[in-house]
């Protein structure tokens, strides 16, 4: 085996094509050297393992992560606008509103502001996890390129060494979490999940035969896959921790309960007299009835009325 191995690790299509070509070629070389050096009985052990590591090397795609990251940035901008513009606009419009209903709505509005901040923080956390995934994919590919280059050099070299080589994935997340070291909330949970090193090193190619160099490729490839799986587990933990922070007992913080609807017994819809421009076809409340009708209770798993007859968000209903 001579030459070099170069591939654009940021091109999903180019990477997949390279792995689809390299994997079968390496398996064929493993077979050839096993037969030439009398190691055929070991093929049943190493061939499936080599096939598996190249399957893992081919997995993962960084391009969708870019699209997801763009969508998350747009979502975060929207949440910032909700908090800094829309909710403040509502707050200003209610300055002359007084009474029990106004007080209830004031509490609700404050809860909505806090919920939007929590959403914003969660979006930052998700963005960090998506970037961590992309970083992991690219770091794995760089490690594989370095591995293949060392393998080629080993096949060409007269003497082999056993020097330790650190994996790139061991520091895949360091740059990502550096600016969030003191982050709180959902982002803090993600930083905590991604923290800590992977702690894996692999040896330089070292062997006394070409077949052993081929088996060394398998062992070192498995080391890379092991490191990737450990890093992936950190990302998965980050998603679980973030999800738990905005669901279950925390759901009320991101979807605060609606304020009570309060209408005086003497309410007369004729006195309300909204112009058609503002009524916009909505039904006019009946005399003596509520200003806004409560949803009618429904039966079945899709109902958003709890056992007390209270209207709740569908997400807050136990299915």
């Amino acid at each position: 085996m001579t030459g070099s191995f170069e591939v654009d690790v940021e091109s999903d299509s180019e990477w997949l094509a390279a792995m689809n070509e390299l994997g079968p070629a390496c398996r064929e070389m493993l077979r050839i050297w096993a037969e030439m050096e009398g190691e055929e009985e070991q093929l049943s052990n190493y061939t499936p393992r080599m096939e598996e590591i190249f399957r893992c090397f081919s997995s993962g795609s960084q391009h969708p992560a870019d699209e997801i990251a763009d969508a998350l940035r747009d979502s975060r901008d929207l949440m910032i606008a909700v908090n800094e513009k829309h909710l403040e606009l509502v707050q200003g419009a209610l300055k002359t509103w007084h009474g029990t209903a106004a007080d209830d709505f004031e509490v609700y509005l404050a809860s909505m502001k806090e919920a939007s901040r929590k959403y914003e923080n969660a979006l930052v956390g998700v963005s960090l996890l998506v970037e961590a995934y992309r970083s992991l994919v690219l770091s794995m590919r760089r490690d594989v390129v370095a591995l293949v280059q060392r393998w080629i050099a080993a096949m060409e070299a007269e003497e082999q060494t056993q020097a330790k080589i650190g994996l790139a994935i061991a520091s895949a997340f360091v740059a990502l979490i550096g600016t969030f070291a003191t982050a709180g909330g959902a982002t803090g949970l993600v930083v905590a999940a991604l923290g800590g090193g992977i702690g894996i090193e692999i040896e330089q190619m070292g062997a006394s035969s070409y077949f052993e160099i081929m088996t060394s490729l398998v062992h070192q490839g498995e080391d890379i896959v092991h490191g990737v799986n450990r890093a992936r587990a950190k990302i998965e933990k980050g998603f679980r921790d973030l999800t738990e922070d905005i669901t279950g007992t925390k759901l009320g913080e991101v979807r605060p309960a609606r304020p009570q609807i309060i209408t005086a017994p003497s309410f007369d819809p004729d006195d309300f007299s909204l112009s058609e421009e503002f009524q916009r076809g909505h039904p006019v409340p009946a005399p003596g009835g509520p200003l806004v009708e409560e949803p009618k209770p429904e039966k079945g798993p899709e109902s958003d009325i709890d056992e007390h007859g209270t209207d709740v968000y569908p997400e807050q209903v136990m299915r």
Side-chain angles (χ1 to χ4, degrees), residues 299-313:
K299 296 181 180 180
E302 299 305 316
S303 173
D304 63 353
I305 308 298
D306 68 13
E307 65 273 16
H308 304 295
T310 303
D311 177 29
V312 295
Y313 292 104

Side-chain angles (χ1 to χ4, degrees), residues 21-67:
E21 180 179 348
L22 185 63
C26 287
R27 291 197 298 274
E28 179 64 13
M29 290 188 67
L30 177 71
R31 183 191 65 79
I32 291 173
W33 286 113
E35 292 177 354
M36 292 182 65
E37 297 179 355
E39 302 286 358
E40 294 94 335
E41 72 280 0
Q42 296 197 52
L43 283 176
S44 60
N45 175 32
Y46 283 102
T47 301
R49 291 163 63 185
M50 180 175 283
E51 185 173 1
E52 176 62 14
I53 63 172
F54 276 100
R55 184 192 68 80
C56 293
F57 292 164
S58 299
S59 64
S61 178
Q62 64 88 27
H63 177 66
D66 292 336
E67 297 179 344

Side-chain angles (χ1 to χ4, degrees), residues 41-256:
E41 72 280 0
Q42 296 197 52
L43 283 176
S44 60
N45 175 32
Y46 283 102
T47 301
R49 291 163 63 185
M50 180 175 283
E51 185 173 1
E52 176 62 14
I53 63 172
F54 276 100
R55 184 192 68 80
C56 293
F57 292 164
S58 299
S59 64
S61 178
Q62 64 88 27
H63 177 66
D66 292 336
E67 297 179 344
I68 294 171
D70 289 340
L72 287 170
R73 279 190 290 269
D74 292 342
S75 298
R76 186 187 175 195
D77 290 343
L78 177 60
M79 292 311 304
I80 292 174
V82 167
N83 215 6
E84 296 182 354
K85 178 182 178 182
H86 301 298
L87 291 181
E88 293 298 329
L89 183 63
V90 173
Q91 183 80 53
L94 300 176
K95 287 182 178 179
T96 59
W97 187 21
H98 303 287
T100 306
D103 294 340
D104 281 352
F105 194 81
E106 183 74 22
V107 172
Y108 173 70
L109 195 59
S111 298
M112 284 296 294
K113 287 183 179 180
E114 189 57 36
S116 69
R117 294 190 191 97
K118 196 171 183 67
Y119 272 125
E120 182 185 342
N121 191 265
L123 287 169
V124 173
V126 175
S127 297
L128 189 57
L129 288 167
V130 170
E131 184 56 35
Y133 162 78
R134 180 178 182 274
S135 176
L136 176 58
V137 170
L138 296 181
S139 295
M140 178 196 71
R141 292 176 180 178
R142 294 187 186 103
D143 280 335
V144 173
V145 170
L147 171 64
V148 174
Q149 290 174 341
R150 292 199 301 273
W151 166 62
I152 293 173
M155 297 293 285
E156 296 175 343
E158 295 181 0
E159 296 182 3
Q160 311 301 329
T161 66
Q162 295 290 339
K164 294 284 186 179
I165 305 295
L167 290 176
I169 59 170
S171 58
F173 307 142
V174 173
L176 297 178
I177 67 177
T179 57
F180 295 94
T182 59
T187 304
L189 293 173
V190 170
V191 171
L194 295 179
I198 306 300
I200 293 179
E201 288 185 326
I202 62 177
E203 295 180 348
Q204 175 64 289
M205 293 286 181
S208 58
S209 69
Y210 287 114
F211 179 73
E212 287 188 9
I213 294 176
M214 297 303 301
T215 60
S216 181
L217 176 66
V218 174
H219 290 300
Q220 294 185 22
E222 289 175 337
D223 285 342
I224 291 177
V225 172
H226 178 56
V228 169
N229 286 336
R230 290 183 61 181
R232 187 187 64 185
K234 289 177 176 287
I235 297 175
E236 291 173 351
K237 184 179 187 304
F239 274 113
R240 287 195 302 272
D241 291 348
L242 188 150
T243 300
E244 290 174 1
D245 192 55
I246 57 175
T247 58
T249 58
K250 300 292 186 69
L251 187 59
E253 298 177 20
V254 292
R255 298 301 296 267

